[in-house]
Amino acid sequence: MDIQIAAIKFKKLVEFLDEVEGRLEELEGDILRLENPQDSEPLEPILRSIHTVWESASSFGLTSVQILSHEIETLLDTVRSRSIPVSTDGLIDTLLNGLDILAEIIFEVRKAVAAADRSADPVTLTVNDPGAEESLAALRSFKKCTQAEEIPEPSVAPLLTAEELEAICYPMDMDVLFVEESREHIEILEESLIELEEDINNPDLVNTIFRSLHSLKGSGGVLVSTVPKEEQRERHPITVLQKLAHAAEGAIQGVRDQKKRIPPAMIDTLLQVVDRLKLILTGFVERDPTTARADNLIMACRKISADVSDDSGKKDADKKIGQKDQGERFALANTLSQCLEACEIGIAEISDPEKRKTAIDKVGRSIKTVKKVCDKLQLAPQAKNAEAVLDMVASLSDTEEAGDALLIDVISADCNTLRDDVLALVSENEILSPLPPPSQTISSGDRKEDPPETAIASAVASTIKVPQERLDTLMNLVGELIVSKNSFPEMAREITVRHNLPGVGKRVKDAGDMVGRITDELQNIVMQMRMLPVGSLFSKYKRMVRDLSHKLDKKIVLKISGEETELDKTIIEIMGDPLVHLIRNCADHALEKEDERLKVGKPGEGTIHLRAYNRGRNVIIEVIDDGRGVDPQNIREKAVAKGYLSLEELEELDDTAVQNLIFRPGFSGAKEVGEVSGRGVGLDVVRTNVEKIGGTVSLDSVAEAGTTVTVTLPLTLAVSKGLKVKAGPNHYYLPLEYLVETIKISPEMVRGHRNNQMVVVRDDLLPVFSLYALLAQSEHSVSLTENTDRHNELSMVVVNLNGRKVALAVDTFYTEREYVIKPLTGSLAKIPGLTGATITSSGQVILILDPLKLF
């Protein structure tokens, strides 16, 4: 069997071999101790160790090591779950035999490493297969026996009651951390399954799914292990989550190892697993254990795993056993040398009372390996000597410390004899000198030059999770600081002009500039801490579109772009529901069925495109479809029928304005109400939620070509920028996202038209409204030219309202300022056209306008 290894990974392979040899020695002793219940250790460390062997082997393509170590891990996990008692006949022997075969495979790889041409890239390793069929069959015989017992009999143990669950205390908020991490794993799992359905042959996605399930299983086990009472651990809802994740892991593992194509039915089952995992987790958070039932899904996953395992067994049986070549002798001799070095170290430690037991075990394991290697090399004298030493080591365990000295001397002498024989063997073969011991394989200098693991560990170590409430408080304080910095220019001006102290004024201005720079930098840092890529939001809709596609019997594909665009975490959370409604409307009403699309020359598969990008201080999210579009005539008819507008009013609206009527409460352009949409609620929710956070939403549609819904959002809710204006006795802030331009015009430019006042601005005819009249809820047609000195200019602010420009007349406009929004309460909250208030550094309260609600 030839294995291709990239040259850059070759050093890592040698390090892996050294590590595995050490782990196998420790595992042998740990498994032997399982036979003695009084001296047995928890299985978790053993499982972690063998799992590390499997996981590391996968990165080097060592399939035999992967398969065998996975079967050992599975059997040990079955023992941990008490499906098989440790006392079962042949169990310990089967596990030890599996470790022996693993050791032989590692010997073969070691031999191939020694013979390989290291100058090539990739390096080719020719590895002989020592044959693991009998060991695999023995391991799987226990596994199949267990499956035959478990599958027909799902667990029906009563779950913990809500009161029992509430009474359990977890150390160091482990339950909170578990929920947070599990949600991340489930999200990755769901996203990867949807992507796998589109890219069925992608092994990276299969690996990601497996890792997520494995992490869920492992973290669930850690959390449950902190529950003091064993009886409660068995009935804990997270135990159910752990079992379900383990069953799903087994199903995906079988497919993964055999590199088989995952059938659609299996993806459906795994998506059901995802839904149940979410439900169990939610029930755990709400201390409602009734959701933690997953027997049918566990059985379904085990059935998949059993079927794949049977196929794997048949394939393994057909493998041919490779023949050993002469190079094996050197690899085995090298192992003998390393084992005898370990003996020498162990013998030196036996006289230390604190290390005595561990040292005796180390020497025993090493000599046992020496005997096995001598038998394989057909070195009868050395094997006999090793057996004699092994007997002495065993008797050493039964003696008192006072009687150690004589036995230690004899053991040491025999080990030296064995060592001399090994050196002679190596010399006679005239092969390369033995590989260096593990401590010399990679120097500390080499490790410094190989940074991936170090970089990851460093990144993890330097990451601190902070509750969102603290970030919110910090952002509010930064907002207050931003407002306060605005007082420095005013103070400097007053000191310079009113008090005639230009020197002091300049120092105040310079201090204000410095505070301003620091404040701006602090604001940017805090905003970055709160910012998340919208991809975390967009990825959730892949599953929804998939389910809608099946439910509506339509072929629909979701395309995503701009997922790296960042938004405030609060805004992302608020935008979840609006985007759900928009996507459901696209799928149900906009996109046609396959036969309809083919008739008009479109591809049979409809497309929904989620797109995000930055524009100035805003983030734009677009939901685009290539469906039938919104029919303006249909909207006009429904608007008149429902009494929204009269025919005369509709005549003044263009097609775009008419199409945007679908955002009104209760309005729907659907010809019939469906299960998914059509009740006139969704798009109203979209506009309401978007406008609550200072955003806007608009629609642009072309018949038979598709529709684009554009949502414009602020980057953050904490600090905003606005233009300060005056209308009547009060000052207001007009948010910059609505501002097009500010102008001053002569009163003669305002003309009357159909009881409205109009003005031409840059070749656009715009309606003119008085801000004071709008806020006072007076008639909008109040003349702006009456009682106005024709020599005085009118101050106008041009605003954009969902794509339509309007000129807003104000008494005065000032400069742009940053402000912190405070919600309105009491009677102020009932005034239309206001969205909040802010307090300036001088203590003045200024109301913030909501231009959309002014009209």
Side-chain angles (χ1 to χ4, degrees):
M1 176 177 64
D2 287 344
I3 299 174
Q4 302 289 329
I5 301 290
I8 195 172
K9 294 177 67 175
F10 197 83
K11 264 205 259 186
K12 288 287 184 185
L13 175 61
V14 176
E15 186 178 17
F16 162 75
L17 295 174
D18 294 334
E19 179 187 359
V20 170
E21 288 173 350
R23 284 186 181 275
L24 291 178
E25 288 181 11
E26 294 174 1
L27 282 168
E28 187 174 76
D30 293 336
I31 290 175
L32 283 170
R33 281 196 290 274
L34 292 176
E35 287 185 304
N36 184 1
Q38 296 177 348
D39 192 30
S40 63
E41 297 181 354
L43 273 167
E44 277 75 15
I46 302 177
L47 281 164
R48 281 197 299 270
S49 188
I50 193 67
H51 180 75
T52 301
V53 173
W54 166 82
E55 199 168 41
S56 301
S58 63
S59 63
F60 300 106
L62 301 178
T63 308
S64 299
V65 176
Q66 280 184 268
I67 294 174
L68 187 55
S69 58
H70 174 66
E71 293 297 337
I72 294 173
E73 180 188 9
T74 303
L75 184 53
L76 285 168
D77 190 56
T78 308
V79 174
R80 180 178 64 174
S81 65
R82 301 184 180 178
S83 299
I84 296 180
V86 178
S87 58
T88 303
D89 286 342
L91 176 65
I92 298 298
D93 290 337
T94 301
L95 289 170
L96 290 172
N97 179 257
L99 293 180
D100 290 341
I101 301 299
L102 267 180
E104 290 183 21
I105 297 173
I106 296 301
F107 295 157
E108 290 290 342
V109 178
R110 177 77 80 177
K111 173 262 298 178
V113 166
D117 178 10
R118 305 190 185 194
S119 63
D121 190 2
V123 179
T124 300
L125 301 180
T126 302
V127 181
N128 291 325
D129 185 359
E133 291 76 23
E134 292 183 4
S135 180
L136 284 170
L139 290 164
R140 286 169 178 159
S141 66
F142 287 96
K143 178 179 173 182
K144 290 180 180 178
C145 176
T146 307
Q147 289 173 341
E149 296 173 0
E150 290 180 350
I151 292 176
E153 301 178 6
S155 171
V156 292
L159 292 166
L160 295 174
T161 64
E163 292 75 16
E164 289 176 313
L165 199 57
E166 186 69 37
I168 297 175
C169 295
Y170 304 90
M172 297 180 292
D173 293 330
M174 284 184 63
D175 54 333
V176 177
L177 295 175
F178 166 76
V179 170
E180 184 178 342
E181 292 175 0
S182 296
R183 283 175 173 160
E184 292 175 2
H185 289 309
I186 292 173
E187 185 176 329
I188 293 171
L189 181 59
E190 184 174 50
E191 183 179 347
S192 300
L193 284 167
I194 298 301
E195 292 181 9
L196 184 64
E197 196 170 35
E198 299 171 2
D199 187 8
I200 202 72
N201 295 317
N202 190 330
D204 292 336
L205 290 174
V206 176
N207 291 335
T208 300
I209 292 167
F210 178 84
R211 283 194 297 269
S212 296
L213 288 167
H214 185 74
S215 298
L216 277 170
K217 178 187 75 173
S219 57
V222 171
L223 179 70
V224 173
S225 68
T226 64
V227 178
K229 297 180 181 179
E230 182 177 352
E231 182 268 339
Q232 288 187 333
R233 293 199 292 269
E234 293 293 328
R235 297 164 52 215
H236 201 285
I238 299 304
T239 299
V240 179
L241 180 144
Q242 186 185 7
K243 290 179 179 178
L244 179 57
H246 177 59
E249 178 192 18
I252 200 74
Q253 171 67 34
V255 176
R256 180 178 186 263
D257 285 346
Q258 299 307 313
K259 299 181 180 178
K260 295 176 66 176
R261 179 170 177 161
I262 295 182
M266 182 175 177
I267 292 181
D268 289 336
T269 301
L270 292 174
L271 285 172
Q272 292 176 31
V273 169
V274 169
D275 292 338
R276 178 56 59 175
L277 290 171
K278 289 180 182 177
L279 200 57
I280 295 172
L281 199 61
T282 301
F284 174 65
V285 172
E286 298 174 353
R287 299 302 187 250
D288 177 14
T290 58
T291 60
R293 285 297 182 192
D295 302 316
N296 292 335
L297 278 175
I298 291 174
M299 285 193 294
C301 291
R302 287 176 176 171
K303 178 66 168 59
I304 293 172
S305 181
D307 292 343
V308 173
S309 178
D310 289 343
D311 293 341
S312 171
K314 292 175 184 177
K315 290 182 181 180
D316 289 336
D318 295 334
K319 287 184 179 178
K320 294 182 179 180
I321 303 174
Q323 299 297 320
K324 301 177 178 62
D325 59 25
Q326 293 299 317
E328 178 190 23
R329 293 178 62 83
F330 168 72
L332 295 176
N334 182 52
T335 301
L336 279 173
S337 177
Q338 292 183 359
C339 288
L340 290 167
E341 285 179 8
C343 281
E344 186 176 347
I345 296 172
I347 290 170
E349 294 176 345
I350 291 177
S351 57
D352 186 342
E354 294 182 359
K355 298 181 180 179
R356 184 176 188 274
K357 185 178 184 306
T358 304
I360 292 174
D361 290 341
K362 181 189 294 184
V363 174
R365 286 195 302 270
S366 299
I367 296 299
K368 187 181 293 185
T369 304
V370 169
K371 182 182 181 303
K372 290 178 182 177
V373 174
C374 290
D375 287 336
K376 184 173 284 293
L377 289 172
Q378 298 179 349
L379 302 174
Q382 288 81 2
K384 186 175 181 181
N385 290 343
E387 187 173 3
V389 173
L390 197 58
D391 291 339
M392 286 187 284
V393 172
S395 62
L396 190 64
S397 302
D398 299 329
T399 64
E400 297 295 332
E401 294 182 24
D404 285 352
L406 181 60
L407 276 173
I408 291 174
D409 289 341
V410 176
I411 291 172
S412 180
D414 286 352
C415 284
N416 288 334
T417 301
L418 281 170
R419 185 177 180 82
D420 292 339
D421 291 344
V422 169
L423 292 175
L425 175 65
V426 174
S427 176
E428 288 171 5
N429 278 273
E430 295 183 348
I431 309 177
L432 295 172
S433 60
L435 291 171
S439 60
Q440 300 175 11
T441 303
I442 297 179
S443 67
S444 59
D446 292 334
R447 286 200 174 96
K448 289 179 182 177
E449 296 172 0
D450 193 14
E453 289 81 9
T454 304
I456 294 172
S458 176
V460 171
S462 62
T463 301
I464 301 175
K465 293 185 177 181
V466 179
Q468 185 176 340
E469 296 77 19
R470 296 184 185 177
L471 285 180
D472 292 341
T473 302
L474 182 59
M475 193 64 179
N476 290 335
L477 292 173
V478 170
E480 299 292 349
L481 188 58
I482 289 170
V483 173
S484 298
K485 78 172 183 177
N486 294 333
S487 64
F488 280 91
E490 297 176 5
M491 290 169 58
R493 206 164 32 244
E494 184 176 355
I495 292 171
T496 301
V497 177
R498 184 174 299 181
H499 299 285
N500 194 24
L501 295 171
V504 178
K506 185 179 184 304
R507 295 211 314 252
V508 170
K509 182 181 180 300
D510 292 343
D513 291 342
M514 181 175 292
V515 170
R517 286 194 297 270
I518 295 172
T519 302
D520 291 341
E521 186 175 347
L522 183 59
Q523 179 193 5
N524 290 334
I525 292 174
V526 176
M527 283 186 64
Q528 289 172 10
M529 292 166 64
R530 291 176 55 91
M531 301 294 270
L532 291 176
V534 294
S536 61
L537 175 65
F538 286 180
S539 61
K540 297 177 182 178
Y541 301 120
K542 294 179 180 179
R543 170 73 183 281
M544 187 181 79
V545 170
R546 174 191 183 273
D547 293 344
L548 286 172
S549 177
H550 293 171
K551 194 171 193 175
L552 299 171
D553 192 24
K554 297 179 181 180
K555 289 186 176 180
I556 306 174
V557 60
L558 176 67
K559 293 184 178 179
I560 293 175
S561 61
E563 53 265 61
E564 70 282 353
T565 307
E566 292 188 333
L567 260 177
D568 190 289
K569 182 177 185 292
T570 304
I571 296 178
I572 286 180
E573 292 171 351
I574 293 173
M575 282 303 300
D577 285 343
L579 288 178
V580 166
H581 290 296
L582 289 174
I583 293 172
R584 288 166 68 92
N585 272 277
C586 288
D588 195 13
H589 299 316
L591 297 178
E592 313 92 334
K593 291 199 173 184
E594 183 179 8
D595 55 349
E596 296 177 48
R597 294 177 63 86
L598 294 174
K599 284 180 184 178
V600 297
K602 293 182 179 181
E605 189 176 64
T607 300
I608 299 174
H609 188 180
L610 266 178
R611 180 183 174 212
Y613 56 92
N614 291 95
R615 181 191 290 166
R617 292 178 58 86
N618 297 102
V619 170
I620 310 298
I621 294 178
E622 293 178 338
V623 183
I624 308 167
D625 67 70
D626 62 349
R628 56 174 63 94
V630 177
D631 183 1
Q633 187 56 37
N634 177 41
I635 300 298
R636 284 187 170 93
E637 292 172 2
K638 286 185 175 285
V640 173
K642 290 179 176 288
Y644 284 104
L645 295 171
S646 65
L647 288 172
E648 292 76 15
E649 291 171 319
L650 282 172
E651 287 177 2
E652 297 182 4
L653 301 179
D654 58 20
D655 285 350
T656 300
V658 170
Q659 290 168 340
N660 277 272
L661 290 174
I662 65 175
F663 289 103
R664 290 199 173 191
F667 195 95
S668 175
K671 296 181 179 179
E672 59 183 20
V673 176
E675 185 179 350
V676 174
S677 59
R679 295 172 178 79
V681 176
L683 295 182
D684 173 39
V685 170
V686 172
R687 169 160 285 177
T688 301
N689 287 359
V690 169
E691 291 178 357
K692 277 182 181 177
I693 55 177
T696 62
V697 57
S698 62
L699 177 144
D700 184 28
S701 184
V702 178
E704 301 303 328
T707 302
T708 298
V709 177
T710 303
V711 181
T712 304
L713 299 166
L715 278 174
T716 180
L717 297 180
V719 180
S720 299
K721 264 194 173 183
L723 177 70
K724 186 179 178 182
V725 300
K726 183 181 180 183
N730 299 318
H731 292 87
Y732 304 91
Y733 275 128
L734 176 66
L736 280 189
E737 53 263 28
Y738 295 99
L739 182 65
V740 178
E741 62 178 319
T742 57
I743 57 173
K744 288 195 175 186
I745 61 172
S746 64
E748 290 89 352
M749 295 180 65
V750 179
R751 302 296 178 89
H753 176 70
R754 291 187 180 182
N755 296 325
N756 292 320
Q757 298 176 88
M758 312 294 289
V759 65
V760 177
V761 179
R762 305 189 193 283
D763 298 328
D764 287 335
L765 183 63
L766 306 180
V768 180
F769 298 94
S770 165
L771 176 58
Y772 179 74
L774 288 172
L775 292 170
Q777 300 182 23
S778 303
E779 291 295 329
H780 295 184
S781 59
V782 170
S783 175
L784 297 170
T785 58
E786 293 179 3
N787 303 320
T788 301
D789 188 342
R790 292 182 176 274
H791 296 288
N792 291 333
E793 291 181 315
L794 292 174
S795 297
M796 296 278 186
V797 180
V798 180
V799 296
N800 187 330
L801 306 175
N802 290 331
R804 300 193 68 193
K805 292 181 182 179
V806 173
L808 207 56
V810 298
D811 295 342
T812 310
F813 50 74
Y814 303 91
T815 57
E816 298 175 5
R817 290 290 175 85
E818 290 178 310
Y819 56 83
V820 179
I821 303 174
K822 303 292 184 183
L824 295 174
T825 58
S827 58
L828 283 176
K830 300 176 183 178
I831 300 177
L834 300 179
T835 187
T838 187
I839 303 175
T840 67
S841 57
S842 61
Q844 181 186 10
V845 176
I846 298 181
L847 297 172
I848 301 166
L849 299 174
D850 185 344
L852 289 170
K853 294 181 180 177
L854 277 173
F855 298 88

